[in-house]
Amino acid sequence: MIFITAKFLIKPEHADEWPRIAGPFTEATRAEPGCLWFEWSRGVDNPQEYVLVEAFRDGQAGGEHVGSAHFKQAQQDLPKYLTSTPKIVSQSVDQDGWAELGEMKVDN
């Protein structure tokens, strides 16, 4: 799978509204057949920072995402709400979902 983490710094006046602002892009991406997950989290130390954790089935699915109409629309719509260009880590990973963190195993 392609595993991506991106950090978005949102202008202070838009930070509380970011989930709504990015909502159409989020919903459309989650509906893609090759999307495994697309999840936003808000920073604990910096409430203007949102971290996006996303995964796609493979490189083809990632390419289809970047080539989609909703991605192109997001490229037009979202930057005006940002204070800087998002930072990204993107890697191919030889798995197809989340694995357990064995060092913190929970016994039920």
Side-chain angles (χ1 to χ4, degrees):
M1 74 177 163
I2 304 298
F3 183 81
I4 301 164
T5 303
K7 288 187 174 190
F8 291 71
L9 290 176
I10 313 303
K11 291 179 181 175
E13 64 271 24
H14 300 295
D16 289 341
E17 294 299 315
W18 182 251
R20 181 191 57 76
I21 292 166
F25 177 53
T26 300
E27 291 173 22
T29 301
R30 288 177 177 167
E32 293 175 24
C35 179
L36 301 175
W37 58 80
F38 194 86
E39 301 172 0
W40 293 97
S41 296
R42 194 169 190 181
V44 174
D45 296 328
N46 181 355
Q48 288 177 245
E49 180 180 76
Y50 281 82
V51 177
L52 175 60
V53 178
E54 55 188 305
F56 296 90
R57 179 187 63 245
D58 53 26
Q60 180 179 341
E64 290 170 0
H65 169 63
V66 172
S68 69
H70 54 272
F71 188 90
K72 292 180 187 337
Q73 189 65 52
Q75 286 178 299
Q76 297 298 311
D77 295 344
L78 300 183
K80 65 186 168 198
Y81 299 101
L82 307 177
T83 63
S84 59
T85 301
K87 304 297 184 202
I88 187 170
V89 175
S90 178
Q91 293 292 314
S92 293
V93 180
D94 189 23
Q95 61 190 74
D96 59 4
W98 291 95
E100 287 188 345
L101 177 61
E103 293 83 1
M104 292 192 184
K105 181 151 178 58
V106 176
D107 296 318
N108 292 333

